[in-house]
Amino acid sequence: MLSAKTTRRIALWATGATSLAALAFGSLYALDRAFPPPLPEKLTISAEVLDRDGQLLRAYATPSGHWRLGVGLDQVDPQLVKMLVAYEDKRFWDHEGVDLLALGRAAQQFVTNGRIVSGGSTLSMQLARLIEPRESRSLGSKLKQLARAIQIERRLSKEQVLERYLTLAPYGGNLEGARAASLAYFGKEPKRLTVSEAALLVALPQLPERRRPDRNPANARAARDRVLGRMVTAGLLSETEAARAALEDVAAMRLALPSLAPHASDTALRNQPGVVSHQLTLRKSVQDGLEAVAREAASRLGPKISVAMVLADAMTGEILGEVGSASYLDASRSGWIDMTRTIRSPGSTLKPFIYGLAFEQGLVAQETMIEDRPADFGGYRPKNFDMSYQGDVSVRQALQLSLNVPAIRLLDAVGPQRLTARFRQAGVTPQLPANEVPGLAIGLGGVGVSLRDLVQLYTGLANGGRAKALRDGSEPGTPAPLANGTILEEQAAWQIADILAGVKPPEGAAKRAIAYKTGTSYGYRDAWSIGYDGRYVLGVWAGRPDAGAVPGLSGYVSAAPILFEAFARSGLPSMPLPRPPAGTLRTARADLPVTLGRFSTASELPAVAAAITEPAPQIVFPPDGARVELGASSADASPLVLKLQGGRAPFRWLANGKPLATIARRREATWQPDGAGFSTLTVIDAAGRAASVRVFVE
């Protein structure tokens, strides 16, 4: 047994040792708090713009000029992590920042060989060097690095240490991080790497400039092969796997990082400053295809000409692809200007909405004859694009041929104010000269709209008459849905689609079942083509951003081929155009009622007009917007009594564009609905004057 004196001595020594340990620990803790590592909560990384599926569209360099993309362990191939740990720090998961065994081995090798054989640095120590570059390779710098590694591991988990290393490690030039390196050298995200690619990414950070594969491919290959050999020794690879990987060539050139959708990306960064990751509604494959088409088309069209496109989902309003210019960096084409948002003259692209309103009001059917001859509308004398006239044509032919005089005849009848009111309902406000009211010239492009505006209007044609507000995700907030959005009634929208689907495609165009319209602005400054199927709307603009004239530029010759090619290369499936709504017909000319056989206004029938003393017809029952209970869902539904005032007999009634069976001379008629829901009732008198109401039948 120990004596009492010995016991007291041991107790004193233990107390002293404990006190010294506590003092040392307290001092280290105080030093740790007083001199923390420069370890920001969030690293400064490149801003990036992603597509709807999370794929990288565009990245921006950091303020220091480096490509440093954020990366998580779930974004890299697990094989890369295993190879990195096995090569750089095999006891990474066990030590506390410093591997004493590795340091001892390195010191012994240095003494034995008189030179550094292995460094003994852990990944935590390497991270310390990355966040706080050392000024020299002195012993003091090494000791500081050891201390920093311990501090880092007190603050970060092992996974966080790996993530920061994989974000900050140098890979040559201004590339930092495994993700930027993988995109630059392999053209892909590091989620799935080959064995050879993973080995190269492990080897590069040690001597990034000497081993850059684009400048020193022999050094890069040798370094990669050393990693592969070490992986065989570590048991991560078989000799066969390593030998097969060694046969692969290393990347011989550095690729540009993705740079798609520059205008939308710039807008997102402006609208959401400080946000690192922005997600747009675009789809990368669609965007890539559209940008390639725009570049090739602009090259064909000639110098200084640019091309812009917007492709949207008509059901949601989400933009899947948008090209602001043929080439963002092409100064000769003013590529920095976003021509999807620039206000220009739309040419004839608004004509379908004029015809749609005429269908709504029961003024015409597809086979109604209309004059294409010189006409004077209060001093406004429109002429056709080719300065010739077709004489009598059907409404269908007039729209398909984009004849100007028939369009203005119909606009004069439906009213320019009503047309622009529908545009505003669809969320688009056309720009007119100061203090001017809408006039007939808007039917031929005498108004300002953007490509995005036009595509938004055309979503209504593709979506049963209801337009959707466009959005691409670059907006500062979620755009509010349109309060109404109705630009045409469903039956009228179908009639327009049926006509435009019959327009002849450009020669040599890829086959695509779409309805489309072209337009050319005054002076050959803008060429337009906008088309849609049952789901997608694509608008194309071509011209000079400075609004200079381009002789020979036209919608059909210049823009329409781009439209068909862009649809084909978008990769989107072709969706069938909608079927006709209930009660909607394309009536043969022989079956048209007499009032729809030929479109004429009262002013064009002087004999009739002189004899007319009655006011224009007005439907007094049912009132516009009424809900009428008829038991429409039952087999014995009641008919609806229709009453009107004014007008000149005989009267032709139409329900949803379909003429009723008889022509009435009385101001009262009956209509048997074929089901519940909204219906449009129209009456046309002998002078061609019309009135309409919209009711809901229950």
Side-chain angles (χ1 to χ4, degrees):
M1 293 186 61
L2 297 173
S3 65
K5 184 176 180 180
T6 302
T7 302
R8 284 195 301 272
R9 187 176 296 168
I10 292 174
L12 287 172
W13 273 101
T15 302
T18 302
S19 299
L20 287 172
L23 180 62
F25 180 80
S27 299
L28 289 173
Y29 181 74
L31 287 171
D32 180 61
R33 297 196 62 182
F35 302 99
L39 202 63
E41 183 177 347
K42 291 184 178 179
L43 296 174
T44 300
I45 57 176
S46 296
E48 56 185 79
V49 180
L50 311 176
D51 81 340
R52 64 192 299 115
D53 301 316
Q55 296 190 74
L56 183 65
L57 288 171
R58 190 176 187 83
Y60 292 80
T62 64
S64 63
H66 289 88
W67 297 108
R68 183 193 297 159
L69 300 176
V71 64
L73 290 184
D74 59 339
Q75 294 176 284
V76 300
D77 194 321
Q79 180 175 237
L80 171 62
V81 176
K82 292 177 182 177
M83 294 173 71
L84 175 65
V85 170
Y87 190 77
E88 293 285 359
D89 188 359
K90 63 182 179 182
R91 281 178 288 276
F92 171 74
W93 299 104
D94 301 318
H95 62 64
E96 300 296 328
V98 176
D99 187 348
L100 296 177
L101 290 175
L103 284 176
R105 183 196 68 241
Q108 183 182 17
Q109 290 173 339
F110 178 76
V111 171
T112 303
N113 296 279
R115 61 182 178 84
I116 297 176
V117 176
S118 61
S121 291
T122 63
L123 287 170
S124 303
M125 292 169 64
Q126 293 183 48
L127 177 59
R129 187 172 67 248
L130 291 172
I131 64 174
E132 194 174 26
R134 60 192 180 189
E135 298 178 359
S136 66
R137 297 177 63 88
S138 65
L139 179 60
S141 296
K142 192 69 173 180
L143 291 174
K144 182 179 179 181
Q145 190 183 113
L146 291 170
R148 288 302 196 202
I150 295 170
Q151 287 181 301
I152 287 171
E153 294 236 359
R154 284 173 51 83
R155 290 166 171 79
L156 301 179
S157 68
K158 292 289 187 178
E159 289 77 11
Q160 290 172 322
V161 170
L162 282 172
E163 287 181 348
R164 294 215 173 193
Y165 175 86
L166 289 169
T167 301
L168 296 173
Y171 282 89
N174 62 347
L175 295 176
E176 290 188 353
R179 190 163 166 233
S182 182
L183 288 165
Y185 294 135
F186 313 137
K188 65 181 181 181
E189 295 280 355
K191 184 71 174 177
R192 290 182 177 84
L193 300 170
T194 66
V195 172
S196 172
E197 291 166 346
L200 183 61
L201 292 184
V202 169
L204 285 178
Q206 298 169 30
L207 294 169
E209 291 305 322
R210 294 184 187 177
R211 296 175 178 176
R212 280 183 60 169
D214 59 326
R215 293 187 177 179
N216 302 296
N219 290 350
R221 177 185 287 273
R224 179 204 63 183
D225 292 348
R226 282 195 294 273
V227 173
L228 292 173
R230 186 81 65 83
M231 294 307 103
V232 173
T233 303
L236 285 181
L237 295 177
S238 67
E239 291 187 3
T240 302
E241 289 176 307
R244 187 182 302 118
L247 293 175
E248 290 187 25
D249 291 331
V250 296
M253 61 182 293
R254 173 174 162 173
L255 307 173
L257 266 65
S259 57
L260 297 171
H263 299 91
S265 298
D266 287 352
T267 302
L269 265 65
R270 283 196 304 270
N271 289 339
Q272 303 168 44
V275 176
V276 173
S277 182
H278 306 262
Q279 188 160 26
L280 303 183
T281 63
L282 309 185
R283 182 170 293 161
K284 186 175 183 178
S285 58
V286 174
Q287 185 68 26
D288 197 21
L290 263 57
E291 290 193 18
V293 170
R295 285 192 302 272
E296 296 165 11
S299 178
R300 290 195 304 268
L301 291 173
K304 299 185 179 181
I305 296 178
S306 192
V307 173
M309 284 183 268
V310 174
L311 193 158
D313 186 330
M315 306 301 171
T316 64
E318 292 182 342
I319 295 175
L320 303 179
E322 58 183 324
V323 180
S325 66
S327 178
Y328 184 66
L329 300 177
D330 189 342
S332 69
R333 303 180 196 275
S334 301
W336 62 86
I337 299 178
D338 186 354
M339 296 306 299
T340 69
R341 299 174 184 267
T342 303
I343 302 300
R344 305 297 284 253
S345 165
S348 297
T349 57
L350 299 180
K351 286 178 182 175
F353 304 99
I354 299 171
Y355 284 79
L357 287 177
F359 281 119
E360 264 190 33
Q361 296 178 35
L363 300 179
V364 295
Q366 288 197 34
E367 296 303 326
T368 298
M369 300 303 292
I370 190 168
E371 285 189 14
D372 179 38
R373 294 183 175 87
D376 188 326
F377 299 88
Y380 179 56
R381 300 180 178 87
K383 297 179 175 61
N384 286 326
F385 183 76
D386 60 1
M387 305 303 291
S388 65
Y389 298 91
Q390 302 293 319
D392 285 351
V393 294
S394 69
V395 164
R396 181 180 178 87
Q397 291 171 324
L399 179 53
Q400 288 180 341
L401 296 174
S402 196
L403 301 176
N404 288 344
V405 176
I408 298 304
R409 288 183 186 278
L410 293 178
L411 181 57
D412 188 43
V414 302
Q417 291 84 0
R418 180 174 294 180
L419 179 66
T420 55
R422 290 295 180 89
F423 290 161
R424 289 192 296 272
Q425 239 173 239
V428 173
T429 302
Q431 292 192 13
L432 293 164
N435 303 318
E436 281 199 17
V437 297
L440 296 179
I442 66 175
L444 304 183
V447 68
V449 296
S450 69
L451 178 58
R452 286 175 66 114
D453 290 337
L454 281 175
V455 172
Q456 182 160 318
L457 293 177
Y458 273 72
T459 62
L461 296 181
N463 195 36
R466 293 185 65 85
K468 293 291 183 179
L470 296 190
R471 60 179 297 268
D472 62 9
S474 68
E475 302 82 7
T478 302
L482 299 177
N484 184 330
T486 300
I487 192 166
L488 288 176
E489 294 175 1
E490 186 179 12
Q491 293 83 2
W494 180 85
Q495 296 282 3
I496 297 302
D498 188 56
I499 293 174
L500 295 182
V503 177
K504 182 182 177 181
E507 187 175 350
K511 291 185 178 180
R512 185 89 177 195
I514 62 172
Y516 82 105
K517 182 73 182 73
T518 62
T520 308
S521 69
Y522 178 77
Y524 303 97
R525 289 174 171 83
D526 307 275
W528 305 87
S529 187
I530 304 184
Y532 58 95
D533 60 14
R535 183 66 185 262
Y536 305 109
V537 180
L538 174 59
V540 175
W541 170 89
R544 286 179 51 160
D546 62 1
V550 183
L553 187 77
S554 73
Y556 187 77
V557 173
S558 308
I562 302 174
L563 175 78
F564 279 81
E565 186 179 1
F567 254 131
R569 291 172 63 175
S570 71
L572 295 172
S574 179
M575 306 297 287
L577 288 162
R579 297 175 62 84
T584 304
L585 297 175
R586 189 207 299 176
T587 307
R589 186 173 304 165
D591 298 329
L592 289 175
V594 67
T595 51
L596 288 178
R598 171 178 289 275
F599 174 77
S600 299
T601 62
S603 61
E604 294 174 309
L605 299 172
V608 175
I612 293 176
T613 58
E614 301 89 345
Q618 179 183 1
I619 299 174
V620 295
F621 188 85
D624 189 37
R627 300 180 74 91
V628 185
E629 176 61 57
L630 298 176
S633 58
S634 63
D636 54 349
S638 302
L640 177 63
V641 177
L642 312 175
K643 298 181 180 180
L644 66 89
Q645 291 179 348
R648 182 178 180 84
F651 304 105
R652 164 62 72 182
W653 286 90
L654 298 93
N656 299 321
K658 179 181 179 181
L660 300 191
T662 59
I663 298 176
R665 301 198 65 84
R666 299 176 57 193
R667 287 177 171 78
E668 184 175 303
T670 58
W671 167 58
Q672 185 71 52
D674 55 7
F678 281 106
S679 291
T680 300
L681 302 171
T682 301
V683 66
I684 306 172
D685 74 351
R689 299 172 296 179
S692 296
V693 296
R694 185 170 170 83
V695 298
F696 188 86
V697 176
E698 299 178 309

